[in-house]
Amino acid sequence: MTWGSSAQEEAPRRGRKDSRADTSEAAAFVFLEPEFFPTEGAKSRQQRSMEPPSASPRRGRVHWQGSLLTVSLLIFWSPSIPAQPTIESVPLNAAEGNDVLLLLQNPPENIFIYIWYKGKSAGNNNRIVSYTPQAQVNDSGPAYTGRETIYHNGSLLFQNVTLNHTGVYTLQISTILGVTQIAGQIRVYQSVTKPSIQASNTTVTENEGPVTLTCLTSHAEISIRWIFKGQILPLTERTTLSQDNSSLTIDPVRREDTGEYQCEVYNPVSSNKSDPLNLTVTYYDSAPESSGLSGGAIAGIVVGAVAVVAVVVALVYFLCIRNTAGYDAFPHVLLPQRLAAMLRKGKGLFSTSASGPGPPFPPS
């Protein structure tokens, strides 16, 4: 009786085990082959009820699919990896005298203490300030200058920064999982002042020698660009810049280089331009300027001028002969014979008084 009762008790337990196996197998089919589950599930249950215990091909396949289901569920249910903490400088580049915030992003949970250090090493001499969130207590260290303020979220504010604040800063975070160190950086720049231009020559002749313009500034770690007639100067084969762009050389100089030049100095936080410098390029035309007259007009003017000069010379010569050697020396040369006879008789021309003719010519 004891054995029979135990066998009877074992059968329900075996049935419950088989039913749980069937349920897990059906779940595997739901996950892997949902569209075939109604048919395949029914067929598998019928086959398993008719197969002897030694028949296991189908059961082995279901066990393999169940293992795949388990792996898939573990991957699907695995918790996402939290974002790593980082430090961002706000602003990224700061002008001297402004404020800068080293902002902690994605801080971890259950933080015991924040500790800020100046530099890359977490030595006690470099400790600026620490903060304990649970006690809400901060403690300044040897590197504290009075311009630093730590917030409850671990961020660090620098007020009225100077060039000496430029560099790397390290934050150490202690949690129940251990200690984490991350670094941030501050970049501080001066506001640039107005530069000036020095020229080797401001008035040059075309194609005669180079001209060098130099941008003078008192700042370091800056960039320089050149401006011509209000636009950024385009470089050509005749223009050369020094390695730091502080000097501009034009060789040879041409007439199109005439105009105003400026240099601009700038850094990530400011910029400034020099006063304009005017470069003058003189040149000579190879051909005379055209008068606008045609060749025929010019020839007519020349002929007319020659004719006027000839008439004037003839009259002057005639008057000189009349007043000196008389009329007998030239009538046969310059005047027609009839006009010469009239002059000898004193009729018509060149009378010496208002009342009568002039002196008669001697008889020929």
Side-chain angles (χ1 to χ4, degrees):
M1 295 296 293
T2 304
W3 178 86
S5 62
S6 4
Q8 290 176 358
E9 292 175 358
E10 182 68 20
R13 284 199 296 268
R14 187 181 298 111
R16 286 195 297 269
K17 290 181 181 179
D18 291 342
S19 63
R20 285 196 296 269
D22 292 342
T23 305
S24 63
E25 292 167 4
F29 278 102
V30 169
F31 184 81
L32 297 174
E33 300 176 276
E35 67 275 14
F36 298 107
F37 172 70
T39 303
E40 290 291 329
K43 292 175 62 178
S44 62
R45 283 195 297 270
Q46 292 175 359
Q47 291 176 356
R48 280 196 300 272
S49 61
M50 298 176 64
E51 289 175 354
S54 59
S56 60
R58 178 63 178 174
R59 191 176 299 274
R61 177 188 173 193
V62 173
H63 284 256
W64 178 83
Q65 291 178 344
S67 301
L68 181 60
L69 172 63
T70 303
V71 174
S72 301
L73 291 176
L74 289 175
I75 295 175
F76 180 76
W77 286 341
S78 62
S80 59
I81 300 175
Q84 296 299 313
T86 59
I87 295 176
E88 179 184 0
S89 176
V90 182
L92 181 63
N93 301 299
E96 193 175 22
N98 290 348
D99 296 345
V100 179
L101 177 66
L102 291 179
L103 177 63
L104 174 62
Q105 295 182 333
N106 307 318
E109 297 180 352
N110 302 319
I111 297 173
F112 292 150
I113 189 171
Y114 298 103
I115 306 177
W116 277 99
Y117 299 90
K118 183 174 183 179
K120 297 181 179 179
S121 62
N124 185 63
N125 293 333
N126 297 331
R127 184 167 60 91
I128 302 173
V129 66
S130 62
Y131 177 72
T132 307
Q134 294 179 354
Q136 297 184 358
V137 175
N138 57 26
D139 181 32
S140 58
Y144 180 74
T145 64
R147 302 187 184 191
E148 300 87 359
T149 302
I150 190 170
Y151 291 100
H152 67 277
N153 62 353
S155 300
L156 187 64
L157 174 67
F158 293 82
Q159 295 177 306
N160 193 23
V161 294
T162 66
L163 294 178
N164 293 330
H165 285 99
T166 298
V168 177
Y169 293 83
T170 301
L171 173 61
Q172 187 180 83
I173 306 174
S174 298
T175 68
I176 59 175
L177 299 178
V179 177
T180 302
Q181 287 191 178
I182 50 178
Q185 187 172 5
I186 292 180
R187 301 175 181 86
V188 183
Y189 299 89
Q190 285 183 326
S191 296
V192 296
T193 57
K194 179 183 290 188
S196 60
I197 298 180
Q198 183 179 14
S200 60
N201 201 347
T202 57
T203 303
V204 294
T205 303
E206 187 176 30
N207 296 321
E208 291 186 7
V211 170
T212 300
L213 307 179
T214 304
C215 187
L216 304 178
T217 178
S218 59
H219 298 284
E221 298 182 1
I222 56 166
S223 300
I224 301 176
R225 56 179 164 232
W226 289 89
I227 299 173
F228 177 56
K229 295 181 179 179
Q231 303 293 329
I232 295 177
L233 177 69
L235 296 179
T236 66
E237 68 278 1
R238 298 185 298 106
T239 54
T240 304
L241 292 174
S242 60
Q243 186 174 2
D244 60 355
N245 290 358
S246 61
S247 295
L248 169 66
T249 301
I250 307 174
D251 185 24
V253 182
R254 295 181 181 172
R255 64 188 71 183
E256 57 264 27
D257 298 323
T258 297
E260 292 184 345
Y261 290 82
Q262 291 176 284
C263 69
E264 182 179 15
V265 296
Y266 61 96
N267 60 22
V269 299
S270 63
S271 64
N272 216 325
K273 295 179 183 179
S274 68
D275 291 329
L277 181 140
N278 190 62
L279 178 65
T280 302
V281 181
T282 60
Y283 55 90
Y284 302 98
D285 287 335
S286 57
E289 295 183 359
S290 175
S291 60
L293 299 176
S294 62
I298 294 176
I301 292 173
V302 172
V303 171
V306 171
V308 170
V309 171
V311 171
V312 171
V313 170
L315 290 175
V316 171
Y317 183 72
F318 172 73
L319 292 175
C320 290
I321 294 300
R322 174 177 179 249
N323 293 331
T324 56
Y327 298 99
D328 195 35
F330 68 92
H332 303 288
V333 178
L334 295 177
L335 300 178
Q337 184 175 2
R338 183 176 180 183
L339 180 57
M342 293 175 62
L343 290 174
R344 290 189 187 96
K345 296 178 179 180
K347 295 181 180 180
L349 297 174
F350 305 107
S351 61
T352 57
S353 64
S355 57
F361 285 97
S364 54

